[in-house]
Amino acid sequence: MPLGLLALALGGFGIGLTEFVIMGLLPEVAADFNVSEATAGWLISGYALAVVVGALLLTAAVTRFERKPVLAVLLVLFVAGNLISAAAPDYAVMMIGRIVAALAHGAFFGIGAVVAADMVAPTKKAGAIAIMFTGLTAANVLGVPFGTMLGQAAGWRSTFWAITGIGVLALAGILTLVPRTGRGDAASGGLRRELGAFRSGQVWLSILVTILGYGGMFGAFTYIAFTLTEVTGFAAATVPWILILFGIGLFIGNTVGGKAADRNVDRTLLVVLAVLAVVLVAFALTAGNQPLTIAAIILMGGFGFAAVPGMQMRVMKYASSAPTLASGANIGAFNVGNALGAWLGGVTITAGLGYTSPIWAGAGITLLGLGVMAFAAAADERHRAGEVTSEAPAPAAVEHVSAEPAAVAASFHS
């Protein structure tokens, strides 16, 4: 395994920790800034929306530059954002820090996914992307639970100071271990060629699957601390340990999902999204039962993240001639889904539907994603069947058919 993949995973760990750890600290942040649960949730949604902006604009701006120094600059931006968050005197400044850090997120993972895929053989690309995303799963297995405990014990700001230090270490790893990669896509047409990838309908369908599939999981997960304490009856001190179990599910799902996607991307996504929808419905129905809730959280993490390598690989597959911007756009799509799930979950809570309502919202979003994925897979199958038919030689008997029927057939298909 190339050591550069470990460096990318280290960067993913720091960025993933920034994205996810606030979910376990949301009650403390809301109390400190004297805002409602839904308002505090905008620190998650605002981050996610800023990721989209960074994924599109920053990635587009740097497509012609060498990828290694670009990744380093993005990590510097990430460190600056976490410094602002750690020292924020009020909610508004905290939001600014979240946005600054988020701008680096999408471009880092979008460019990093291309770099990771380029380091390995074609048959191992989804697995390489999964290794990079292992940083996100490690952030959940180790970073989020212990970051939550640190925040509960020493104040939530201490967690963001720790993340800042991790960002510095990740920067050193990128500079040391990631190989030089040339000048991006300048030699192959630059930004114009990258934009051309969006002419593919399958690219757009893949992005929509990412939004809905990932948004479904986050619709359930964003307010998980409130669900666990207010519905299931766990003590607040227990939440970090439960998040460890969620992270273990993420790790297993990411690893298995990457290997499965290398064999068949579409089949993997169809199965995983279908099972995730079932898991979310079961979680909503049994959230008052502690053992069943723990099982549901592990499964939610596993199947929720098993789709991630396949989602990213599918977009890169259909934008294969110019994958950098499409890859970044799909990272943005993950965070549109994140924002959608967090927003819809907040709406259901504000409407007085209780702390299981975000789980039901997540199940609904996931089912929509499954429907889009089924449509995309069927459309791709029809397209490939049409290509085979058009390339097949005409039967001998057809060669003797008169020109007039052939002209009628041609007019029917035109």
Side-chain angles (χ1 to χ4, degrees), residues 197-213 266 269 273 310-312 314-316 318 330 333 368-383:
F198 292 95
R199 288 195 294 267
S200 167
Q202 284 290 347
V203 168
W204 286 106
L205 286 171
S206 300
I207 288 173
L208 185 56
V209 169
T210 297
I211 292 172
L212 296 173
D266 285 4
L269 291 176
L273 290 175
M311 289 172 174
Q312 190 68 12
R314 196 174 200 276
V315 167
M316 293 170 62
Y318 289 104
N330 199 53
L368 287 175
L370 176 61
V372 174
M373 184 62 233
F375 175 82
D380 182 56
E381 186 69 26
R382 288 194 300 269
H383 177 72

Side-chain angles (χ1 to χ4, degrees), residues 67 113-115 117-118 122 125 129 184-185 188-190 193-204 206 311-328 380:
R67 293 181 180 125
V114 176
V115 172
D118 286 345
K125 289 183 180 294
I129 294 170
D185 300 305
S188 57
R193 184 176 182 183
E194 290 287 337
L195 290 171
F198 292 95
R199 288 195 294 267
S200 167
Q202 284 290 347
V203 168
W204 286 106
S206 300
M311 289 172 174
Q312 190 68 12
M313 190 61 203
R314 196 174 200 276
V315 167
M316 293 170 62
K317 170 186 174 182
Y318 289 104
S320 58
S321 62
T324 304
L325 187 57
S327 177
D380 182 56

